[in-house]
Amino acid sequence: MYAQMVKSTGQGVKPREDMSPEERHFQDRVDANEKIEPKDWMPDGYRKTLIRQIAQHAHSEVVGQLPEGNWITRAPTLERKAILLAKVQDEAGHGLYLYCAAETLGISRDELTEKLLDGSMKYSSIFNYPTLTWADIGAVGWLVDGAAIMNQVPLQRTSYGPYSRAMIRICKEESFHQRQGFDIMMKMAQGTEAQRRMAQDALNRFWYPSLMMFGPSDKDSVHSAQSMAWKIKINTNDELRQKFVDQTVPQAHYLGLTVPDDDLRFNDETGHWDFSEPDWSEFYEVLKGNGPCNEERMAARRKAWDDGAWVREGLMAHAGKRSHRTAAE
Ligand code: BYC
């Protein structure tokens, strides 16, 4: 049922002449940059697309704690440990803001988690790659949070009020995350020869998976056209990917590192960096569950869900008792 609902939103933009009067009025509000609030009328497709995108984002924040949490006990100094711990806790908080934003659309957080666990909802492809060395934690902060910010800053202007407000808070914290990652990379790149090699190796492994975070190229993006008409998305996947490359290549050069792309060239005519596309067959394999860490990530989420069952049951029992008491009073 859910897959069907999602498919029904994956088409081109609905022409104005085919819209009902409510849909036309709704589109006019979006075009006038009015925020849509939970109790306002909205097309079913708008609601479903938002639930899909916000929940996918929320799941990504939560699953995104795993590759970094893996390094909390092994951070090289007390200061690095405290910073990483704070960052990972921030990601949990981002997940909660986003689940709350999704709940305003009429779906519960439990349902969303169940959809993640049964495979009908996704999380970002990037978190299916392992963090093998401390330099990977630098690369995640610099590249992964850098890509996330590139995507999320425009989403502060998204048409749905609760999503837009959640993004404003999240973006404030993400910029600190990106800087802490770049700072780790600086230390590594300017350290011993072995540390510099670790930094380069982390860049080599995280470069293309970071480019994939923006989603398939525009010609293959299923949802972009309608999502942009509804201002659920503000930019296309390729626009954001290009902005990310333009911002990140000079940073890599500043670090004295080499971007692993032989075809990378600054194009004087366009004023942008030309770069090689990621291997899209790898991207789709990761989405199908065949990435290096898909199984491990889902097993960790399933275990957390099962281990937390007693808390959920306890809360429900407490809520039940309270409502009995209120009814009796
Ligand atoms: N991974 O039509 P398209 C973070 C799916 S950062 C997995 O272009 P759309 C964090 C897509 O869902 C990451 N799946 O889709 C950072 C669709 O499949 P379904 C989270 C992907 O939605 C640091 C299909 O491919 N950020 O949280 O218009 C530390 C076709 O794609 C991916 C967000 O989620 C992918 N990379 O555009 C901790 C930002 N890309 O659903 C945490 C909000 C595409 O039809 N989301 N797919 O089965 C977005 O901006 C958009 O959803 C996307 C995709 C740009 C990601």
Side-chain angles (χ1 to χ4, degrees):
M1 173 65 180
Y2 179 76
Q4 258 174 357
M5 295 186 331
V6 167
K7 280 221 176 68
S8 72
T9 65
Q11 299 147 3
V13 184
K14 189 167 189 177
R16 196 171 170 86
E17 57 274 19
D18 294 349
M19 290 181 190
S20 66
E22 285 103 332
E23 285 173 324
R24 239 174 270 150
H25 175 65
F26 175 85
Q27 190 63 50
D28 289 343
R29 292 189 62 200
V30 170
D31 293 344
N33 288 328
E34 273 181 46
K35 289 281 178 250
I36 308 301
E37 296 298 336
K39 290 192 174 151
D40 295 348
W41 186 89
M42 60 186 80
D44 268 1
Y46 179 85
R47 187 184 297 278
K48 284 157 200 162
T49 303
L50 271 175
I51 291 175
R52 182 184 59 80
Q53 181 168 316
I54 301 174
Q56 180 170 321
H57 192 170
H59 298 324
S60 304
E61 297 282 355
V62 173
V63 177
Q65 295 177 94
L66 297 169
E68 291 185 293
N70 179 36
W71 276 90
I72 291 172
T73 53
R74 291 177 290 163
T77 66
L78 183 60
E79 192 192 7
R80 291 285 183 203
K81 191 195 284 280
I83 295 170
L84 184 58
L85 195 56
K87 178 186 189 293
V88 172
Q89 284 173 345
D90 284 351
E91 310 300 0
H94 298 174
L96 295 183
Y97 307 154
L98 288 162
Y99 283 126
C100 288
E103 282 185 316
T104 64
L105 292 155
I107 188 159
S108 73
R109 190 174 147 190
D110 282 7
E111 284 174 272
L112 295 171
T113 307
E114 277 155 11
K115 288 184 189 307
L116 172 72
L117 298 182
D118 73 18
S120 57
M121 276 189 159
K122 297 188 168 79
Y123 58 90
S124 180
S125 50
I126 190 72
F127 300 119
N128 293 306
Y129 292 85
T131 43
L132 302 176
T133 73
W134 175 250
D136 288 8
I137 297 303
V140 168
W142 171 38
L143 300 173
V144 175
D145 287 83
I149 297 171
M150 197 53 84
N151 174 288
Q152 289 164 15
V153 165
L155 289 179
Q156 294 177 104
R157 290 182 284 118
T158 191
S159 58
Y160 188 56
Y163 189 25
S164 149
R165 291 188 285 276
M167 292 318 307
I168 292 169
R169 276 185 79 165
I170 290 174
C171 283
K172 288 197 176 120
E173 293 171 352
E174 290 291 2
S175 51
F176 146 72
H177 295 172
Q178 201 259 357
R179 290 184 65 149
Q180 69 85 38
F182 192 73
D183 187 59
I184 294 175
M185 291 305 273
M186 285 263 278
K187 284 279 182 315
M188 301 293 286
Q190 294 170 356
T192 62
E193 184 47 31
Q195 285 173 315
R196 204 201 61 77
R197 273 203 307 272
M198 279 166 72
Q200 181 63 55
D201 174 56
L203 172 57
N204 292 349
R205 283 180 290 106
F206 275 93
W207 177 252
Y208 286 107
S210 301
L211 297 188
M212 292 175 195
M213 284 175 71
F214 297 96
S217 57
D218 291 352
K219 63 179 173 23
D220 298 319
S221 170
V222 189
H223 304 290
S224 283
Q226 183 61 71
S227 288
M228 287 178 72
W230 278 329
K231 295 191 184 159
I232 289 175
K233 272 169 94 162
I234 308 295
N235 299 93
T236 71
N237 301 353
D238 286 337
E239 278 168 9
L240 291 174
R241 194 170 6 255
Q242 181 70 58
K243 277 178 94 168
F244 174 75
V245 171
D246 289 345
Q247 174 183 284
T248 311
V249 170
Q251 294 173 349
H253 292 164
Y254 183 79
L255 291 168
L257 300 177
T258 308
V259 175
D261 178 355
D262 292 340
D263 295 325
L264 187 74
R265 304 246 180 303
F266 189 74
N267 184 329
D268 284 320
E269 271 173 33
T270 60
H272 297 289
W273 287 88
D274 292 339
F275 61 96
S276 310
E277 293 269 312
D279 174 356
W280 290 116
S281 59
E282 176 181 321
F283 171 75
Y284 287 112
E285 277 305 306
V286 172
L287 258 55
K288 273 197 269 168
N290 302 327
C293 297
N294 294 62
E295 271 181 33
E296 189 182 327
R297 302 296 183 234
M298 289 306 288
R301 289 305 300 131
R302 216 165 275 122
K303 181 173 184 316
W305 181 245
D306 292 345
D307 289 353
W310 69 273
V311 180
R312 294 192 300 278
E313 280 159 20
L315 284 173
M316 291 309 287
H318 181 65
K321 264 193 201 146
R322 275 175 63 117
S323 63
H324 281 309
R325 245 198 341 256
T326 321
E329 278 161 11

